[in-house]
Amino acid sequence: MTSPVALDPELETDAEPVKGEQKLEGRSPGQLMWQRFKRDRTGVICAVVVILYFVVSLAAPLLVKLSGTDPYTLYGQDPTYADKPILDQFGLPLGYFGGVSGDHWFGVEPQYGRDLFAMLVYGMRTSLFMALGVTVLLMVTGVIIGLIGGYFGGRTDYWIGRVTDFFLSFPQQLFFIAFMPVVTSFFVDPREETPTYFRALAMLIVLWLLGWMGMARLVRSTVLSLREREFVEAAKVSGASPARIVRKEILPNVVTPILVQFTYTLPSTILTIAFLSFAGVGFVEPTPDWGRLFAAAANYTEQDPAFLFFPGLALVIFVLAFNLLGDSVRDAFDPKSGR
């Protein structure tokens, strides 16, 4: 008579009797990860918050239409709205908390009277999707370079390492400020206004050139440990090509650090884009952007401190939620985690 075998709770299977025997249905690593993640209330709440931000960004035109405003109209200076004054003689919002009212849900901008709610949701739309595009590009570039350097090693890894060190030597924040005008001046006459799409493209290029190194080093270090494992050696002995080994054997095993790094890189990229706009080398008037809202708020802090409240609160909640989500994803992928 055999003794019962104790199963790990994480590896429990659904038993179904078939002719006196037990049929065990195992769960994949992805299913186990999902089970662990669902038990983490903090992670689930943060995931809902992050998804909500992207939904709001996608629905920005609809939300602004519902509010009856837009981010470009100067409600404090347009004669069409003279019958509804929103600024006093000093250009400051009338009413409480920066001019919050039924017509302007988050108040208005001093001096100009632009609607802050419309500016914020459109600014979130600009920053989030710009950061998403940059982050995906950084991840793809870093993964490809890290896979090549880590798997092939030798001179290939040496020269890739030296190139990585070269790009890491740049002081990123200062280089962002100095290099952005240089990139735009190559293609746009300084006497002409730079188109918004070109500013977005220039920011994407600069952030891409100076941001892929961390992902590349992370993937390289993981691949260096994986390429000596038995399953990789078995694939080599069976005659599999390097491309197939990397695609089928190694890449699936680096998904975890890639996803975790993605959850940390995206909020960091959003802060960098906001910094560029705040410094005057990113998005400029009249394009709504999170960083430009902070730049405007810096000028209005003494007269109207409420102008900074909603943009600042929205940014803090998003960055905090995404960072906590990254922790939860890391714990869900880690089978040794207690969560």
Side-chain angles (χ1 to χ4, degrees), residues 130 187-188 194-204 283 287:
M130 178 71 185
F187 302 96
V188 181
T194 304
T196 300
Y197 77 88
F198 190 81
R199 283 187 173 273
L201 181 61
M203 291 171 64
L204 186 145
F283 293 107
T287 305

Side-chain angles (χ1 to χ4, degrees), residues 66-286:
L66 290 175
S67 70
T69 59
D70 67 76
Y72 306 106
T73 301
L74 307 180
Y75 293 98
Q77 299 180 358
D78 193 333
T80 307
Y81 303 94
D83 58 330
K84 294 183 178 180
I86 57 176
L87 300 177
D88 62 18
Q89 58 181 338
F90 302 105
L92 299 178
L94 294 171
Y96 297 101
F97 209 71
V100 173
S101 65
D103 295 327
H104 303 282
W105 298 347
F106 288 178
V108 296
E109 182 182 19
Q111 307 303 324
Y112 304 107
R114 284 178 291 199
D115 184 77
L116 181 56
F117 173 78
M119 294 171 68
L120 178 57
V121 294
Y122 266 91
M124 289 167 51
R125 181 187 180 95
T126 301
S127 298
L128 288 181
F129 290 105
M130 178 71 185
L132 183 63
V134 172
T135 304
V136 170
L137 188 58
L138 294 180
M139 295 294 104
V140 172
T141 305
V143 168
I144 292 174
I145 293 176
L147 285 172
I148 294 174
Y151 180 77
F152 291 100
R155 289 186 176 273
T156 302
D157 185 35
Y158 174 82
W159 288 111
I160 288 179
R162 301 298 73 75
V163 172
T164 303
D165 292 337
F166 171 76
F167 280 100
L168 285 172
S169 66
F170 288 103
Q172 289 193 2
Q173 302 293 343
L174 294 177
F175 196 77
F176 286 148
I177 298 175
F179 196 61
M180 277 294 297
V182 175
V183 173
T184 55
S185 65
F186 270 116
F187 302 96
V188 181
D189 191 326
R191 294 168 295 182
E192 299 178 359
E193 183 178 354
T194 304
T196 300
Y197 77 88
F198 190 81
R199 283 187 173 273
L201 181 61
M203 291 171 64
L204 186 145
I205 292 173
V206 173
L207 292 172
W208 170 54
L209 287 175
L210 297 179
W212 57 266
M213 296 81 71
M215 188 73 243
R217 283 196 161 184
L218 176 64
V219 172
R220 172 189 172 273
S221 62
T222 305
V223 173
L224 283 174
S225 63
L226 288 173
R227 70 176 185 177
E228 306 298 334
R229 301 285 293 274
E230 292 80 2
F231 61 89
V232 175
E233 293 295 336
K236 291 179 181 178
V237 171
S238 67
S241 64
R244 180 177 177 80
I245 293 174
V246 169
R247 188 176 68 255
K248 295 292 186 178
E249 306 295 340
I250 294 181
L251 187 57
N253 288 283
V254 297
V255 169
T256 298
I258 291 173
L259 288 178
V260 173
Q261 186 69 11
F262 178 87
T263 59
Y264 291 132
T265 302
L266 183 60
S268 175
T269 304
I270 289 177
L271 293 176
T272 301
I273 293 173
F275 166 76
L276 290 176
S277 298
F278 183 85
V281 295
F283 293 107
V284 296
E285 295 278 5

Side-chain angles (χ1 to χ4, degrees), residues 260-331:
V260 173
Q261 186 69 11
F262 178 87
T263 59
Y264 291 132
T265 302
L266 183 60
S268 175
T269 304
I270 289 177
L271 293 176
T272 301
I273 293 173
F275 166 76
L276 290 176
S277 298
F278 183 85
V281 295
F283 293 107
V284 296
E285 295 278 5
T287 305
D289 176 71
W290 240 330
R292 198 173 62 74
L293 286 175
F294 283 104
N299 298 323
Y300 307 141
T301 300
E302 293 185 3
Q303 294 82 14
D304 183 25
F307 184 79
L308 182 61
F309 177 78
F310 290 108
L313 181 64
L315 183 60
V316 169
I317 291 176
F318 178 80
V319 173
L320 178 61
F322 224 114
N323 285 332
L324 291 177
L325 177 62
D327 292 338
S328 298
V329 171
R330 180 198 60 206
D331 293 336

Side-chain angles (χ1 to χ4, degrees), residues 51-61 63 121 124-125:
I51 293 173
L52 180 63
Y53 267 80
F54 280 99
V55 170
V56 169
S57 300
L58 283 172
L63 293 174
V121 294
M124 289 167 51
R125 181 187 180 95

